Amino acid sequence: MLTERQRLILAAIIQDYAKTGKAVGSKSLLEQLGLAVSSATVRNEMASLEEQGLLQKEHTSSGRVPSQRGYRYYVDKLMRRRQLSEAVHQSLERVFSRNFQQIDDLVQQMVTEMANLTGYTVIALKPESVDTRLSGFRLVPIDGQQIMAIIVTNDGQVTSQSFRLPEGMDVHGLDDMVRYINQTLVNQPIVDVLRTLSGDLPLKMERTIRTPVAFLQLFGDVLARSIRDKVFVGGRLNLMDFTVDTNLQEVKQLYQLLDAPTAMRHVVGNANDGVLVQIGDENGNSLLSPYSLVSATYRVPQHGVGAVAILGPTSMMYADMVELVDVYRTALSQQLLEYYR
């Protein structure tokens, strides 16, 4: 159990270290806190905090820096929520007042804006595609036997793929199939359409429509790609600003991790309905152990769960990052709910 003075000292060291990146000494603490005690008393309190594993001494100076345990104590017991700054209000306005055609555009704008605001790396996941529906399908001739298949889903996502028709086949020979798909499969959930395609639909269509079964397989491939999970990352290069003792191989592996939807959904999707702060080894992945991750999930009714997270140094301004993640995940959830309506 810490005394009130020890709590003040620990909080001040954590906040000062986050701002300066330099070890904090007793003299600067005494001036900052205005305590009616001697410098020796402050040093004794710092030594006590070090014995309890909340501070650690830097080899290059007589000052102290927070330990992982100290950060954890601060986040759990000392941190106070902050009011949003004017810069954050302006940032929200820039992101959520713009018109957007696709949800991907909005989410990418958001992570980029948050990364610019914080100087850290920001990660977001859209809600899982539990109710994404097929809105339309068409074929567009490009040149000769080259055509493009275009699929549109109800979240505004447009997925396309070009391919070459067999010699002797005209794109208009596929008109009946395109019409059949749009008449029978549009407005159905993508997962149901994929299930239908893997069932007896190809056989049924062959009885009434002359079309290659291979083309239906291509349609299914493009359809599956339209709901594939994706990680949105802002401020990738910011990672280099707070990576200590850079090991290029580890940085490369970390970038690969950031681009892996399944892995990132596991890493940032554990916050339930609150904001989760994971510090160092708490991240459960050795690549993330030098960093802190502030994450929160958000829900869009009938459309699933997404996530927003800030990846930064363990010396980040936790109160500011918690508030930022919370307000952005709330704004994104509301924006997506309005869009789906």
Side-chain angles (χ1 to χ4, degrees), residues 255-273:
Y255 279 135
Q256 291 172 341
L257 174 66
L258 294 181
D259 286 326
T262 302
M264 290 312 300
R265 194 168 285 278
H266 176 74
V267 169
V268 306
N270 300 318
N272 295 320
D273 292 325

Side-chain angles (χ1 to χ4, degrees), residues 18-124:
K19 292 176 184 177
T20 67
K22 297 179 180 179
V24 184
S26 58
K27 184 178 179 180
S28 63
L29 273 177
L30 199 58
E31 294 173 353
Q32 178 182 339
L33 297 175
L35 298 173
V37 296
S38 67
S39 183
T41 300
V42 174
R43 283 197 298 273
N44 289 337
E45 296 285 33
M46 293 169 69
S48 177
L49 291 169
E50 185 178 356
E51 289 174 2
Q52 296 177 68
L54 302 175
L55 295 178
Q56 54 194 23
K57 198 168 185 178
E58 272 201 337
H59 300 299
T60 56
S61 74
S62 59
R64 305 299 201 284
V65 299
S67 65
Q68 180 174 319
R69 185 176 175 185
Y71 285 124
R72 183 78 266 163
Y73 186 95
Y74 170 78
V75 169
D76 292 343
K77 300 181 182 298
L78 304 180
M79 186 176 71
R80 297 290 180 266
R81 298 293 289 265
R82 301 279 186 87
Q83 287 190 336
L84 295 179
S85 68
E86 183 59 31
V88 174
H89 284 294
Q90 292 174 357
S91 172
L92 287 165
E93 180 70 18
R94 280 193 295 271
V95 173
F96 294 105
S97 65
R98 296 173 182 169
N99 292 324
F100 63 96
Q101 298 299 318
Q102 297 183 24
I103 290 174
D104 285 15
D105 295 336
L106 174 66
V107 180
Q108 188 59 58
Q109 288 173 11
M110 185 193 74
V111 295
T112 300
E113 181 67 33
M114 291 178 70
N116 291 338
L117 193 64
T118 62
Y120 299 148
T121 300
V122 181
I123 305 140

Side-chain angles (χ1 to χ4, degrees), residues 303-340:
H303 291 277
V305 179
V308 179
I310 295 175
L311 178 68
T314 55
S315 60
M316 67 167 59
M317 299 290 286
Y318 287 99
D320 292 343
M321 298 306 106
V322 167
E323 198 64 40
L324 195 66
V325 165
D326 197 20
V327 71
Y328 262 97
R329 65 91 175 251
T330 301
L332 180 59
S333 176
Q334 293 172 346
Q335 188 82 16
L336 294 187
L337 185 58
E338 291 176 10
Y339 178 87
Y340 284 122

